[in-house]
C-alpha cells in the first residue's frame, strides 16, 4: 500500500515537472515574440514616410454615454502617399505625410478630425505601414528593376531578390562553335576572293587588248594549289573563247567588206564598158541624124538608135547607184566593227568595275570574320576569366534621397537598405585599349597562314 502511494506521488511530481517545463518554454516563446514585435514597432516608429508608401489607418473613439466604441469607418482602411508626399483622406482632406512618422501622421489625423467634426476630445487614431515603398536595383544583377521592400533588408538580400549577381555564360563550347563557323566563313570568303582576283586579271587583259593572259603575283605564287590551278585554267579558257568570238565577228565583217570591194571593182569595170557602148551609140545616133538631115536615112533607124542610147543611159545610172550602195555597205561594216570593239570594251569595263566592288566587299568580310574569330578564340574566353575574377571585386553604391536631394553613398554587401533606395552594383572597368591592335595582328597572321 505504501509502495503504491509512493509510485503515485512520483508520477504526480513527474507530471508537474513536465507541465512546468512546457509552461517555461511557452513563456520564453512569448517573450521572444514580444521582443521581436517591440523591435519591429520601434523600427516602424522611427521610419519616415515617403511617396508610394501604403499605410493602414484606424480611427475610433470611446463614447461614455453609450459605453462602447465608435469607429470612423470613412477613415479606416489603406491609403497610399502620392508622389507629392500627400495623403488624401475623406472628411479631413489632404495630409502632408512625407518625412513624418506613423505616430505623427496618426496625431495629425486625430487633431484634424477633432477640428472638422467639432469633437470635444480628439479620437484615437492608429497608423501602421501596410506596404513600404519599393526599392530599385541596377547593374550587374540577373533581373534589375523595382522590388517590394522588406524591413531590415541588406544589400546582399536585395541582390538575392533580384536573382543574384549577373552570371556570364562560362561555357567555352559556344566559343569553339563560333570559332569553327568563323573559320569556315573565312575559308569560303578566301576562295571567293581568289576567284575574283583571277577574274579581275582576265578582264584587265581583255580591256588592254592583250594577246596573252597574265595573272597577278599573288596568283602566280600560289599556282601550285589545286583550287588556284583550276581557276587559272577556267579563266584562261574564258579569255581565249571571248577573244576568239570577238575575232570571228571582226573577221566576218572584214570578209564581207572584201566581197563588197570586189563587187565595187566589178561595177566599176562594168561602168567603163557601159560608157564605151554608150559613146558608140551616141556617135551612131549623131551619124544617123546627119544622114537624116540630108535625106539619106529613114526615121525608123533613128528611133531605134535613140531607144538604144536611152537604155544605155539607164543602165549607167543603175551601175552608179549600185556602186553607191556598195560603198554604203562597206562603210556600215566598218562602223559595225568599231561599235563591236567599243561595246566589248564597255562590257569588259563594267564587269571589271563590278568585280572590283565584289572583291572589296569580300575582303572586308574576311576582315570581319577574322575579328570574330579572334573574339571567339582569344577575347571571349579571356573576358570570361576576367569577369569571373572581377566578381569578387564588385562595388556597391546606394542612391538615397536625403533632405530633398539624391545622394550617392558607398556601401558593402551588409549595408542596410531603406525604402526608395536605388542600389547600384558595378564591376570594375576592363582594359580594352589594345584589343583592336591585337585583333588586327591576329587577322594578319590568319591571312598569312591561309596563303
Amino acid at each position: 500500500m505504501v509502495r503504491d502511494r509512493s509510485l503515485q506521488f512520483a508520477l504526480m511530481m513527474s507530471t508537474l515537472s513536465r507541465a512546468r517545463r512546457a509552461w517555461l518554454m511557452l513563456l520564453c516563446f512569448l517573450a521572444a515574440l514580444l521582443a521581436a514585435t517591440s523591435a519591429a514597432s520601434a523600427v516602424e516608429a522611427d521610419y519616415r514616410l515617403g511617396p508610394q508608401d501604403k499605410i493602414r489607418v484606424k480611427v475610433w473613439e470611446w463614447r461614455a454615454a453609450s459605453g462602447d466604441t465608435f469607429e470612423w469607418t470613412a477613415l479606416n482602411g489603406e491609403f497610399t502617399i502620392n508622389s507629392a508626399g500627400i495623403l488624401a483622406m475623406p472628411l479631413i482632406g489632404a495630409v502632408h505625410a512625407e518625412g513624418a512618422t506613423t505616430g505623427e501622421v496618426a496625431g495629425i489625423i486625430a487633431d484634424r478630425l477633432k477640428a472638422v467634426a467639432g469633437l470635444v476630445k480628439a479620437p484615437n487614431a492608429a497608423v501602421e505601414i501596410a506596404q513600404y515603398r519599393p526599392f530599385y536595383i541596377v547593374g550587374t544583377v540577373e533581373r534589375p528593376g523595382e522590388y517590394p521592400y522588406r524591413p531590415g533588408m541588406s544589400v546582399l538580400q536585395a541582390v538575392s531578390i533580384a536573382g543574384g549577381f549577373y552570371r556570364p555564360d562560362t561555357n567555352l563550347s559556344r566559343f569553339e562553335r563560333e570559332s569553327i563557323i568563323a573559320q569556315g566563313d573565312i575559308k569560303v570568303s578566301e576562295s571567293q576572293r581568289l576567284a575574283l582576283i583571277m577574274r579581275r586579271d582576265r578582264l584587265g587583259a581583255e580591256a588592254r587588248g592583250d594577246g596573252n593572259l597574265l595573272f597577278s603575283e599573288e596568283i602566280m605564287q600560289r599556282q601550285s594549289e589545286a583550287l588556284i590551278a583550276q581557276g587559272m585554267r577556267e579563266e584562261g579558257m574564258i579569255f581565249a573563247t571571248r577573244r576568239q568570238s570577238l575575232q570571228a565577228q571582226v573577221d566576218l565583217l572584214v570578209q564581207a567588206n572584201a566581197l563588197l570591194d570586189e563587187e565595187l571593182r566589178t561595177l566599176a569595170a562594168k561602168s567603163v564598158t557601159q560608157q564605151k557602148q554608150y559613146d558608140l551609140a551616141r556617135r551612131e545616133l549623131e551619124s544617123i541624124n546627119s544622114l537624116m538631115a540630108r535625106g539619106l536615112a529613114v526615121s525608123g533607124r533613128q528611133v531605134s538608135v535613140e531607144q538604144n542610147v536611152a537604155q544605155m543611159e539607164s543602165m549607167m545610172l543603175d551601175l552608179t547607184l549600185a556602186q553607191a550602195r556598195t560603198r554604203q555597205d562597206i562603210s556600215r561594216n566598218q562602223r559595225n566593227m568599231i561599235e563591236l570593239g567599243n561595246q566589248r570594251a564597255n562590257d569588259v569595263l563594267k564587269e571589271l568595275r563590278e568585280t572590283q566592288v565584289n572583291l572589296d566587299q569580300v575582303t572586308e568580310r574576311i576582315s570581319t570574320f577574322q575579328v570574330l574569330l579572334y573574339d571567339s578564340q582569344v577575347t571571349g574566353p579571356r573576358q570570361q576569366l576576367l569577369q569571373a575574377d572581377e566578381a569578387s571585386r564588385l562595388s556597391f553604391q546606394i542612391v538615397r534621397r536625403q533632405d530633398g536631394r539624391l545622394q550617392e553613398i558607398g556601401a558593402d554587401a551588409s549595408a542596410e537598405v531603406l525604402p526608395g533606395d536605388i542600389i547600384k552594383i558595378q564591376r570594375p572597368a576592363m582594359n580594352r585599349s589594345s584589343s583592336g591592335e591585337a585583333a588586327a595582328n591576329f587577322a594578319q597572321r590568319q591571312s598569312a597562314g591561309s596563303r
Side-chain angles (χ1 to χ4, degrees):
M1 185 70 178
V2 173
R3 183 179 179 182
D4 292 340
R5 288 180 178 176
S6 299
L7 290 174
Q8 289 177 358
F9 179 77
L11 182 60
M12 181 180 66
M13 294 301 293
S14 176
T15 303
L16 290 174
S17 178
R18 288 196 298 270
R20 185 179 300 169
R21 287 197 299 269
W23 177 251
L24 290 175
M25 290 178 62
L26 178 60
L27 289 177
C28 292
F29 173 76
L30 291 175
L33 180 60
L34 180 60
T37 304
S38 299
S41 299
V43 171
E44 183 173 321
D46 295 335
Y47 176 69
R48 298 291 174 176
L49 297 172
Q52 298 186 45
D53 279 332
K54 183 181 290 186
I55 62 175
R56 185 177 296 110
V57 180
K58 187 173 184 180
V59 182
W60 76 98
E61 63 174 318
W62 170 256
R63 293 185 175 180
S66 59
D68 59 358
T69 59
F70 173 77
E71 291 188 6
W72 292 83
T73 56
L75 298 174
N76 292 348
E78 294 185 354
F79 302 90
T80 302
I81 301 174
N82 62 22
S83 59
I86 302 300
L87 182 64
M89 299 189 67
L91 297 180
I92 63 175
V95 176
H96 185 76
E98 183 176 5
T101 64
T102 54
E104 292 172 347
V105 172
I108 295 173
I109 292 174
D111 294 339
R112 189 78 63 83
L113 182 58
K114 174 185 175 183
V116 171
L119 302 175
V120 176
K121 183 180 177 182
N124 297 311
V127 175
E128 62 179 358
I129 297 176
Q131 180 178 327
Y132 290 92
R133 59 184 179 271
F135 72 95
Y136 306 87
I137 185 167
V138 295
T140 53
V141 292
E142 286 292 333
R143 297 187 299 274
E146 173 186 313
Y147 292 94
Y149 175 78
R150 300 174 184 175
M153 178 185 298
S154 66
V155 170
L156 189 59
Q157 290 173 329
V159 171
S160 66
I161 292 175
F165 296 111
Y166 173 72
R167 296 177 293 274
D169 184 12
T170 57
N171 186 6
L172 296 179
S173 62
R174 176 174 65 88
F175 294 109
E176 294 177 359
R177 182 173 62 255
E178 292 177 354
S179 177
I180 293 173
I181 294 174
Q183 288 176 347
D185 291 335
I186 290 176
K187 186 175 181 180
V188 172
S189 299
E190 180 64 18
S191 300
Q192 294 175 351
R193 188 184 72 87
L194 294 174
L196 289 171
I197 291 176
M198 288 184 284
R199 182 185 301 174
R200 183 189 62 183
D201 294 340
R202 187 252 302 168
L203 292 172
E206 291 181 358
R208 293 188 300 269
D210 297 342
N212 297 318
L213 175 57
L214 299 178
F215 292 97
S216 59
E217 182 179 358
E218 180 181 359
I219 299 300
M220 296 304 296
Q221 290 176 353
R222 303 177 61 179
Q223 60 180 333
S224 59
E225 300 178 15
L227 182 63
I228 301 297
Q230 180 181 357
M232 293 175 64
R233 287 193 300 270
E234 292 175 354
E235 293 296 336
M237 293 174 60
I238 294 174
F239 176 80
T241 301
R242 289 165 64 103
R243 181 178 175 81
Q244 291 173 0
S245 175
L246 178 62
Q247 188 62 44
Q249 296 180 54
V250 173
D251 290 343
L252 288 176
L253 292 174
V254 171
Q255 292 176 5
N257 276 353
L259 293 175
L260 291 174
D261 288 338
E262 183 66 25
E263 181 180 353
L264 188 60
R265 286 192 293 271
T266 302
L267 291 174
K270 291 178 66 175
S271 296
V272 172
T273 303
Q274 190 66 32
Q275 183 66 39
K276 291 179 178 180
Q277 294 178 356
Y278 175 74
D279 293 340
L280 291 174
R282 289 294 299 177
R283 284 197 295 271
E284 182 179 3
L285 179 59
E286 292 176 356
S287 177
I288 292 174
N289 289 335
S290 176
L291 293 175
M292 283 288 297
R294 290 180 292 172
L296 299 177
V298 295
S299 60
R301 177 61 177 167
Q302 182 184 18
V303 171
S304 176
V305 173
E306 286 179 352
Q307 290 177 350
N308 190 22
V309 169
Q311 184 178 2
M312 290 182 181
E313 287 179 349
S314 176
M315 293 178 64
M316 289 178 64
L317 291 174
D318 291 340
L319 290 174
T320 301
L321 181 60
Q323 288 178 343
R325 289 177 177 174
T326 303
R327 292 189 183 94
Q328 185 178 5
D329 292 341
I330 293 174
S331 299
R332 183 171 57 251
N333 289 340
Q334 291 176 345
R335 185 175 64 254
N336 290 339
M337 284 190 289
I338 295 174
E339 290 179 353
L340 181 62
N342 292 337
Q343 184 64 39
R344 177 56 60 88
N346 291 335
D347 293 342
V348 169
L349 290 176
K350 181 179 178 180
E351 292 183 30
L352 184 60
R353 183 169 59 255
E354 293 176 351
T355 301
Q356 185 62 49
V357 171
N358 294 334
L359 180 59
D360 294 339
Q361 292 176 350
V362 171
T363 303
E364 183 66 25
R365 188 161 61 246
I366 291 175
S367 300
T368 302
F369 288 145
Q370 288 172 340
V371 173
L372 294 176
L373 180 61
Y374 178 82
D375 181 71
S376 299
Q377 293 183 348
V378 180
T379 305
R382 183 174 63 188
Q383 287 181 351
Q384 284 192 346
L385 295 177
L386 290 176
Q387 289 174 350
D389 178 65
E390 290 165 358
S392 60
R393 297 186 287 117
L394 295 173
S395 63
F396 305 91
Q397 286 83 31
I398 295 178
V399 180
R400 181 174 297 163
R401 183 175 295 277
Q402 295 180 346
D403 300 330
R405 299 176 59 186
L406 290 177
Q407 297 183 4
E408 188 168 317
I409 306 170
D412 55 20
S414 61
E416 183 181 3
V417 178
L418 298 180
D421 282 352
I422 302 174
I423 306 170
K424 297 170 61 177
I425 314 295
Q426 295 178 335
R427 298 185 187 274
M430 297 177 57
N431 183 14
R432 305 175 183 269
S433 58
S434 60
S435 298
E437 182 179 356
N441 295 334
F442 180 82
Q444 292 179 357
R445 292 195 301 270
Q446 289 290 324
S447 179
S450 64
R451 295 178 184 178

